[in-house]
Amino acid sequence: MAGGTEAVAHQALEMTDHLPVLQVLIPFIAAPLAVFLGVRSLAWPIACAGAIASLVCSVVLMLATLDGSFISYHLGGWAPPYGIEYRVDAANAFVLLLISATAVVVMPFTKASVDAEIPKKDHTLFYACFMLCITGLLGVVVTGDAFNVFVFLEISSLSAYVLVSQGSHRDRRALTVAYDYLLMGTIGATFFVIGIGFLYMATGTLNMADIADRIAGQGDNRTIQAAFAFILVGMGLKVAIYPLHLWLPGAYNYAPSAVTVLLAATATKAAIYVVLRFTFSVFQPEFTFDTNVLYWIIIPFALLAMFAASLIAVFQTNFKRMLAYSSIAQIGYMLLGIGFFNLSGLTATMVHLFNHSITKAALFMAVGALVLRSGSTFYDRIRGMGKSMPLTSAVVVIGGLSLIGIPGTAGFVSKWMLVQAAFELGWWWMALLIVASSLLAVIYVWRVLEVLYLGDTAEGAQHKEAPMMMAGPMWVAALACIWFGFDTSLTLEASRVAANGLLSGNAGMAPVPTTAAGGGH
Amino acid sequence: MFLVTLIALFVAMALVLCRLYTGPMVYDRILAANFFGTAAVLFIAVLGFFNGRPDFLDIALLYALINFVGTVATLKFFRYRSLGDARPGMD
Amino acid sequence: MGLVADILSWACLIGGSFFTITGALGIVRLPDFWARLHASGVAESGGMILIILGLCLQAGWGLVTVKLIIIGIFLFITGPTSTHAIANAALVTGWRPKPGTGIEQKDTPPFYDVKEPTVRN
Amino acid sequence: MAETIINVVLFSMLVLTALALVRMERLFTIVMLAGVFSLLAAMLFVTLDAVDVAFTEAAVGAGVSTVLYLGTIALTARGCKPSVRPSTVPLLVCIITGAVLIWGTLDMPNFGDAEAPAEVHVAQYYLTESVKEIDVPNVVTSILASYRGFDTLGEVAVIFAAGVGVLLIISRMPGQGRRKDKEDS
Amino acid sequence: MRHHLILRVITKILVGPIILYGLYVQFHGDFSPGGGFQAGVIIAVAFTLYGIVFGLRAVYAVLPPWVVHRLMALGLLIYAGVGILNMLSGYEFLNYGAFAPNHPSHGQHLGILWVETGVGITVTGVMIAVFYAFAGRPPRMGDDDW
Amino acid sequence: MTTGDNELMIEFLLGHINYWLFVVLMMTGLYIVIVRGNYVKKIVGLNIFQTAVFMFYISIGKITGGTAPIFPTDSQGRIRPDPDIVYSNPLPHVLILTAIVVGIATTALGLALIVRIREEYNTIEEDDVLEIETKLAEQENRIHGFGPGGGA
């Protein structure tokens, strides 16, 4: 066993063995370091350095896990299930890459938007919170311990509440939406904790792989089923599954632009990853209970989200709020992929996780630039800005097309996968529904484009193009949308490996790691 | 014997809770809460002996401390309407 | 030690329990705030000291007794201080015990929960 | 048996306090009852052998929270409006959630069962091996700081995040705060 | 609280012992209930008491806000720093065995001590900072709201 | 039903009544959170909800006849294990210590937000705030055109 007597003959670890923990640790340390130094001009460089280092780690991890193997890291040197384990397989590595890459891309944008929206005095603390939020999301994704998920989820959620409330410098409603977000997020987290308590009661362990092992032997156990329900609802609150989405539009709308970008691109994605992980790796529906239950619970909610949220988005007059509702709708697609419960469906979910993330990052950054120049995101305030801000508006066009799923953009790839998955099941009507909801997307995207390009410029408006610090990251994200629309090898490959790992249930979380970085255990 | 004391403390706590629920004056409630705190300290102390692990008296000590600070904070709250510096003209 | 200490400690514990219950009864049954204050003050100190003393006798010499004594001293200081603080706060906000009747009177009771018609925010 | 009685009595007090809380309208009373609630909870933790948790709950629930609540009330308002909203839907939500929870408890092992899965697997390892591996009498400390030390690091980060957050939200003086204050007095 | 002579005297008497008790809880946590978090709260409570009775200005003189902010971060850095030290000597993050390779349980003791110190410092800092933030804000309630 | 069944039933009831009482407490807390319009009271309800969950966790770890998981030591501070003593499960205690800390962090943040809300809206009642926000949204709708879901 770990520690104890064998530690005398401890085999020294290389720095590369520490990658899973460094991934989380570097941005983690950036936060207190910035506060401790207390120098305002250093806060952003520190945060930037943390994000970049984290990205490097995640790229290496992704490359290491693309062959379907996984890396296990024993924190504190205690072998799981006694200690906390970090376990990286293709699925987490993919989401890790997504989060850290988004963090790096939005960093310059954050600098520009924070300078404009947050009082100077608060910058150090703001960046500390920003880094804590990213740390929490990375920690949620990388860990293989059920309770550790809760702890890091709360790190990211608490800092997210604070970050959202910082929108109060522009609009006081940021405070009440932050409060609602806090209330619902905490209820969700508490539900999640109840679920983990039930799981612990039934299995006596907290390590996910170990739980999966022990659940498989239990068969029909009401405690485990209740645990699944609570974890699903708790996470559903964080994901903003349609009827539980109430916090999301307000939070996205009133948060500072940089925060909206971060939340939209990463926070819900990490939560969806947790749902995936628990549904497939921990509970393994085919062992625990009838998979039909999944069909009948998840698919209706997914469809509801796709149509209801899209419909609401169509009628919005506020660009940012429209995008928020569209996010809820897109979460519906991801859920649909989970509900299909086959390889293509899960691959579609994973790809859409990535594609939607970059699409929304580009769009929300564009919104941030529009806010910077026009002061508001209402359609009548941004009318005609396609002429004065061509770069930004072009990003909106690309992002919008990707949102609809026009061939040649990233959004097309994931929707195509989803339709394919539907056909594999023989549900051609489902494919029709997917196309139908995409038509709704056409409408709401068209409304924005119409306003931007065809409307007259608002009277007296003297708009300049967005500053480079904003336009640069925006274009990186927009080009990524196009790039991943044509070159699908990386995303599809990674997603397929990830989905395979998830679907193979117990095999994906086998107790014996292939590449152990745990010393001589 | 410890059980008798525990029961007595329980009865006392229950009675005090009645006062806490009914009021009527705010100060009645503070008084009841304060008394309840003291009873809780004694309860923990006696419970340690009852269970044969009397070395957990730290908790009782902490209760006593917290109870005192809580009461002082309450006093300050009512007397000066703020936990920080008293407002000018209030002293 | 032995039997004598045991008997003494039991006596202390029973006495302490008696005082505590009496105080609690007083808090519930006495007619007005100042009388309740009195009941609580007496019971808090008297009951507390006796129970702690009884426990000390049970524990014999050691760290436990030292801790008990510390708790006793602490409660002995803070209990009356708290009572004083409460009384003072009540007095300062305008409550006065009326001599003779034992029932306080004030035209506009500021802190009644039940009688206040509307709660403003 | 005595333990069961103590548990049940503490429970009934807890439930009574919670129910009393539902209908209270003066914030100060609510805060005080919340303090009493956590004091009772802490006593229950002691009877359930969780002394460390009792210690923390007393410090946090009865101490820190009370001071924070008082600070908030001093800055906001003293009472709350009686609720006028319909309470059927919330009641229904609560009842459904509670029903699922109770349904889930039906397959649980009995309270205090030493053979329950929760007691025999990982926990048993901690109780038997921590003497050798860590050699600290308080098993809770050894798990907290070493076996699950990373959770504790996360916990400290949460607290740090809360500190940073509170500073971000309310440490800056509101523009006209001081001036208005002078007008008041 | 200029008029509360009794409270002022009692507070002056008690603050020292409370901090002492906090340190006891901090460093005796291996043997009895308690540890960094509880100790941090107790020490913060001592300062809170002092602040409540003597006013914020008095407690600022003892512990200025900027020191408190540094404390918040310092504790976290100490905790993470322990883990990084372990990493640098070729062990896993937070494997305290690295402190005494030949006698792991000694290393564990040392590690737990430092880690708990970190927790205590951060918690003290945060609790005091939060108290400062709440108490330092001028109340904006009119008198008729009372 | 035989007497054996009856005994089992009673054992089952006694063994589960604890859990059910926790559920009652949890739901009381949740009810306060959902139904009450006062922001501070919502936070209090949230605390009760969480505390009830903590109690549930701790009760998972309790073993009948067990004692707190702290080993006895001799005068030198060395551990003297006693095989006769049964210790309760320490793991839920650790988890709940963490959860309590998370709970107080959330409470502090929520209260700070309430202070700011009161400064901006001059009320801490959700209904009043909603009213103000509905007015704001209507105003915006008048200026910028209609959008459903606007406001809150």
Side-chain angles (χ1 to χ4, degrees):
Chain A
M1 270 303 128
T5 48
E6 58 81 71
V8 179
H10 192 94
Q11 191 185 344
L13 296 175
E14 295 297 319
M15 224 47 196
T16 45
D17 296 330
H18 293 301
L19 277 177
V21 72
L22 282 177
Q23 163 91 63
V24 180
L25 197 63
I26 295 173
F28 189 34
I29 292 191
L33 201 63
V35 175
F36 187 73
L37 294 178
V39 184
R40 196 180 305 141
S41 52
L42 277 182
W44 185 74
I46 290 175
C48 237
I52 291 171
S54 176
L55 175 63
V56 171
C57 294
S58 67
V59 168
V60 178
L61 283 175
M62 182 80 238
L63 293 178
T65 52
L66 258 183
D67 54 354
S69 66
F70 62 93
I71 302 169
S72 163
Y73 184 86
H74 304 162
L75 286 153
W78 303 110
Y82 308 114
I84 293 172
E85 182 195 17
Y86 266 10
R87 175 182 292 245
V88 187
D89 62 7
N92 343 23
F94 191 53
V95 184
L96 284 177
L97 182 66
L98 167 68
I99 294 173
S100 50
T102 316
V104 171
V105 171
V106 302
M107 265 304 161
F109 175 84
T110 307
K111 171 87 173 134
S113 115
V114 164
D115 279 345
E117 295 182 22
I118 309 290
K120 261 215 150 58
K121 192 173 160 291
D122 290 347
H123 282 190
T124 315
L125 294 175
F126 185 90
Y127 284 118
C129 254
F130 203 78
M131 288 323 279
L132 281 174
C133 190
I134 294 170
T135 308
L137 296 171
L138 290 170
V140 166
V141 174
V142 77
T143 188
D145 188 278
F147 198 79
N148 203 244
V149 171
F150 164 71
V151 175
F152 277 82
L153 195 70
E154 282 305 272
I155 296 180
S156 77
S157 305
L158 279 179
S159 26
Y161 310 146
V162 177
L163 291 173
V164 168
S165 78
Q166 289 309 297
S168 67
H169 297 295
R170 302 183 69 87
D171 191 324
R172 60 180 169 170
R173 275 171 285 184
L175 294 169
T176 48
V177 297
Y179 182 86
D180 287 344
Y181 186 16
L182 180 135
L183 223 53
M184 293 202 193
T186 309
I187 291 177
T190 312
F191 272 38
F192 185 71
V193 171
I194 295 174
I196 298 209
F198 276 33
L199 271 185
Y200 176 68
M201 193 145 203
T203 61
T205 176
L206 291 165
N207 184 277
M208 288 186 198
D210 204 21
I211 292 177
D213 242 21
R214 281 161 182 267
I215 283 182
Q218 293 218 0
D220 194 24
N221 185 327
R222 280 174 286 192
T223 309
I224 291 174
Q225 291 173 13
F228 180 67
F230 273 90
I231 287 177
L232 202 64
V233 173
M235 271 299 136
L237 271 163
K238 299 261 179 193
V239 175
I241 293 175
Y242 180 70
L244 306 172
H245 71 286
L246 292 170
W247 58 269
L248 190 140
Y252 281 14
N253 194 8
Y254 296 115
S257 310
V259 177
T260 312
V261 177
L262 183 72
L263 288 184
T266 58
T268 47
K269 309 299 176 289
I272 287 193
Y273 163 78
V274 176
V275 171
L276 280 171
R277 183 54 91 190
F278 270 90
T279 314
F280 292 102
S281 298
V282 177
F283 285 103
Q284 303 163 51
E286 66 268 50
F287 293 118
T288 318
F289 37 78
D290 203 352
T291 33
N292 277 326
V293 178
L294 270 188
Y295 288 151
W296 288 110
I297 294 174
I298 292 186
I299 292 185
F301 281 118
L303 289 175
L304 192 65
M306 280 159 54
F307 283 94
S310 297
L311 215 60
I312 300 177
V314 167
F315 291 106
Q316 293 304 311
T317 53
N318 182 335
F319 192 10
K320 219 173 171 185
R321 188 178 276 275
M322 182 278 274
L323 286 180
Y325 277 107
S326 130
S327 275
I328 299 168
Q330 304 284 328
I331 286 164
Y333 292 115
M334 296 175 211
L335 281 182
L336 199 62
I338 299 178
F340 283 164
F341 201 66
N342 59 12
L343 183 62
S344 312
L346 267 188
T347 311
T349 301
M350 291 305 285
V351 177
H352 200 52
L353 211 69
F354 186 88
N355 290 343
H356 178 239
S357 177
I358 49 177
T359 309
K360 272 287 147 63
L363 280 169
F364 274 115
M365 280 194 268
V367 171
L370 291 176
V371 170
L372 184 75
R373 291 303 182 216
S374 74
S376 165
T377 53
F378 282 101
Y379 287 165
D380 61 340
R381 295 290 296 274
I382 57 174
R383 177 170 297 140
M385 285 174 83
K387 288 151 207 154
S388 51
M389 299 177 73
L391 281 178
T392 310
S393 305
V395 170
V396 177
V397 174
I398 298 171
L401 293 181
S402 174
L403 214 53
I404 300 169
I406 302 287
T409 58
F412 172 73
V413 180
S414 32
K415 282 197 183 154
W416 180 245
M417 283 304 297
L418 210 56
V419 171
Q420 247 181 354
F423 277 125
E424 264 176 41
L425 287 171
W427 295 354
W428 54 268
W429 49 273
M430 191 65 87
L432 282 183
L433 286 178
I434 294 168
V435 175
S437 79
S438 293
L439 287 181
L440 285 175
V442 173
I443 303 177
Y444 60 68
V445 170
W446 172 250
R447 283 199 65 188
V448 176
L449 298 184
E450 186 186 12
V451 164
L452 276 179
Y453 283 102
L454 303 181
D456 305 325
T457 313
E459 66 281 358
Q462 289 289 327
H463 301 307
K464 304 186 295 198
E465 185 49 72
M468 264 326 284
M469 290 282 266
M470 282 183 166
M474 211 187 294
W475 270 96
V476 170
L479 290 178
C481 274
I482 298 175
W483 173 267
F484 290 114
F486 286 109
D487 177 20
T488 56
S489 54
L490 174 66
T491 47
L492 272 186
E493 177 60 21
S495 308
R496 196 162 284 136
V497 176
N500 237 332
L502 285 172
L503 262 187
S504 56
N506 204 20
M509 297 287 277
V512 188
T514 46
T515 358
H521 303 304
Chain B
M1 189 47 56
F2 295 126
L3 193 59
V4 174
T5 317
L6 282 181
I7 292 171
L9 285 170
F10 259 144
V11 173
M13 279 191 245
L15 287 173
V16 167
L17 279 183
C18 293
R19 177 54 70 199
L20 192 64
Y21 298 150
T22 52
M25 212 165 63
V26 165
Y27 298 110
D28 285 315
R29 296 187 202 268
I30 303 175
L31 192 66
N34 193 32
F35 190 105
F36 186 87
T38 311
V41 173
L42 295 175
F43 179 84
I44 299 286
V46 178
L47 192 70
F49 281 82
F50 179 70
N51 284 341
R53 302 287 300 259
D55 38 349
F56 300 147
L57 285 172
D58 295 338
I59 308 172
L61 187 51
L62 180 78
Y63 273 28
L65 170 69
I66 291 290
N67 203 23
F68 176 62
V69 175
T71 313
V72 172
T74 312
L75 161 78
K76 171 109 184 193
F77 172 75
F78 273 101
R79 178 73 175 75
Y80 299 95
R81 305 177 184 186
S82 151
L83 285 189
D85 289 328
R87 303 204 293 177
M90 291 283 301
D91 228 346
Chain C
M1 298 306 281
L3 194 63
V4 182
D6 261 3
I7 291 175
L8 262 180
S9 93
W10 289 348
C12 282
L13 284 176
I14 295 221
S17 312
F18 172 75
F19 271 114
T20 318
I21 289 196
T22 315
L25 265 179
I27 283 190
V28 176
R29 293 289 303 152
L30 286 178
D32 76 19
F33 169 67
W34 304 101
R36 290 176 204 140
L37 197 67
H38 167 77
S40 135
V42 168
E44 232 174 33
S45 302
M48 181 273 294
I49 289 178
L50 281 177
I51 288 181
I52 296 277
L53 203 65
L55 292 180
C56 281
L57 286 171
Q58 280 288 333
W61 281 112
L63 185 65
V64 174
T65 315
V66 174
K67 279 185 191 168
L68 275 172
I69 291 172
I70 293 176
I71 293 178
I73 293 174
F74 193 84
L75 283 178
F76 191 69
I77 296 175
T78 59
T81 314
S82 310
T83 314
H84 161 80
I86 299 169
N88 187 285
L91 204 66
V92 165
T93 40
W95 290 89
R96 293 282 181 282
K98 200 182 176 198
T101 61
I103 294 169
E104 72 269 49
Q105 282 179 346
K106 193 164 182 288
D107 297 335
T108 50
F111 288 124
Y112 268 107
D113 258 6
V114 281
K115 289 187 183 162
E116 210 167 336
T118 54
V119 183
R120 264 172 307 197
N121 285 294
Chain D
M1 196 58 206
E3 270 185 18
T4 319
I5 296 172
I6 293 175
N7 272 348
V8 169
V9 173
L10 280 176
F11 253 122
S12 29
M13 287 190 190
L14 274 166
V15 172
L16 279 179
T17 314
L19 290 179
L21 258 167
V22 174
R23 55 171 200 88
M24 289 293 171
E25 269 159 26
R26 188 169 270 281
L27 283 183
F28 181 77
T29 316
I30 291 171
V31 169
M32 218 146 48
L33 280 175
V36 167
F37 185 88
S38 36
L39 216 57
L40 281 166
M43 279 147 84
L44 191 74
F45 289 148
V46 176
T47 64
L48 294 178
D49 297 339
V51 276
D52 277 273
V53 180
F55 211 86
T56 316
E57 177 68 31
V60 162
V64 176
S65 313
T66 307
V67 173
L68 287 185
Y69 281 132
L70 286 179
T72 312
I73 299 178
L75 294 174
T76 54
R78 321 250 351 261
C80 63
K81 276 187 185 167
S83 184
V84 288
R85 313 175 181 194
S87 56
T88 3
V89 177
L91 207 61
L92 215 63
V93 170
C94 290
I95 287 173
I96 291 173
T97 319
V100 175
L101 274 172
I102 288 177
W103 182 76
T105 60
L106 293 182
D107 273 347
M108 284 182 180
N110 282 347
F111 173 71
D113 186 358
E115 298 301 312
E119 328 293 354
V120 292
H121 181 36
V122 175
Q124 210 49 48
Y125 174 88
Y126 291 140
L127 284 173
T128 51
E129 301 297 315
S130 79
V131 180
K132 245 192 311 208
E133 290 179 351
I134 296 184
D135 193 30
V136 162
N138 189 349
V139 188
V140 175
T141 301
S142 46
I143 302 176
L144 187 82
S146 188
Y147 289 108
R148 297 188 69 84
F150 196 69
D151 260 359
T152 311
L153 181 61
E155 165 198 321
V156 180
V158 169
I159 269 287
F160 176 72
V164 169
V166 170
L167 288 181
L168 261 177
I169 295 172
I170 61 170
S171 77
R172 263 163 44 90
M173 286 299 142
Q176 75 283 45
R178 290 270 178 216
R179 236 174 300 129
K180 185 171 183 294
D181 207 88
K182 278 191 190 116
E183 284 158 20
D184 278 355
S185 54
Chain E
M1 302 245 262
R2 227 178 299 142
H3 307 307
H4 283 274
L5 187 61
I6 296 177
L7 273 184
R8 291 164 74 92
V9 172
I10 296 291
T11 306
K12 280 226 161 123
I13 294 174
L14 284 182
V15 163
I18 291 175
I19 294 178
L20 206 62
Y21 173 56
L23 291 176
Y24 164 80
V25 170
Q26 168 86 55
F27 294 110
H28 204 254
D30 298 359
F31 298 91
S32 56
F37 181 80
Q38 294 90 335
V41 171
I42 292 172
I43 294 174
V45 157
F47 284 97
T48 308
L49 182 64
Y50 193 81
I52 288 176
V53 173
F54 290 95
L56 275 184
R57 216 156 290 152
V59 75
Y60 280 168
V62 182
L63 204 62
W66 67 269
V67 174
V68 177
H69 298 178
R70 297 299 185 283
L71 282 183
M72 277 171 33
L74 178 65
L76 198 49
L77 287 175
I78 290 179
Y79 201 139
V82 169
I84 292 172
L85 271 184
N86 302 148
M87 250 156 85
L88 290 179
S89 41
Y91 283 65
E92 290 91 346
F93 185 66
L94 292 178
N95 186 348
Y96 314 132
F99 286 128
N102 297 319
H103 204 310
S105 75
H106 283 188
Q108 293 286 349
H109 278 237
L110 202 63
I112 290 177
L113 186 75
W114 276 108
V115 158
E116 292 274 13
T117 311
V119 177
I121 292 175
T122 294
V123 172
T124 311
V126 170
M127 293 300 164
I128 297 176
V130 169
F131 170 70
Y132 281 3
F134 274 91
R137 215 163 171 82
R140 299 178 68 188
M141 263 204 255
D143 281 346
D144 51 333
D145 285 338
W146 276 72
Chain F
M1 200 186 267
T2 63
T3 41
D5 277 350
N6 257 334
E7 268 170 25
L8 267 180
M9 195 69 204
I10 290 171
E11 205 187 313
F12 180 82
L13 284 179
L14 277 180
H16 286 70
I17 188 112
N18 260 5
Y19 305 138
W20 299 335
L21 284 168
F22 294 130
V23 173
V24 170
L25 277 179
M26 272 180 223
M27 289 312 118
T28 316
L30 194 60
Y31 181 75
I32 296 178
V33 178
I34 303 176
V35 87
R36 282 319 179 130
N38 186 286
Y39 283 145
V40 176
K41 194 160 177 183
K42 273 175 186 278
I43 297 275
V44 173
L46 204 59
N47 270 340
I48 290 178
F49 180 41
Q50 288 184 320
T51 310
V53 177
F54 302 161
M55 288 180 220
F56 166 73
Y57 258 82
I58 296 299
S59 75
I60 296 177
K62 171 72 181 170
I63 294 176
T64 314
T67 177
I70 297 177
F71 298 129
T73 50
D74 63 11
S75 50
Q76 268 94 50
R78 287 221 185 84
I79 300 174
R80 290 261 160 271
D82 183 346
D84 295 339
I85 305 178
V86 180
Y87 294 104
S88 283
N89 183 350
L91 186 52
H93 303 182
V94 176
L95 305 182
I96 288 318
L97 280 177
T98 308
I100 289 180
V101 176
V102 173
I104 181 67
T106 316
T107 307
L109 269 187
L111 292 178
L113 280 172
I114 292 171
V115 169
R116 287 283 290 130
I117 288 176
R118 146 85 201 191
E119 283 171 4
E120 298 285 346
Y121 289 83
N122 210 23
T123 176
I124 56 166
E125 295 290 333
E126 196 172 40
D127 298 339
D128 298 349
V129 169
L130 281 181
E131 203 176 302
I132 295 173
E133 291 193 338
T134 314
K135 270 192 199 129
L136 269 176
E138 276 169 7
Q139 207 179 337
E140 278 177 353
N141 286 344
R142 265 202 305 282
I143 302 171
H144 306 291
F146 171 71

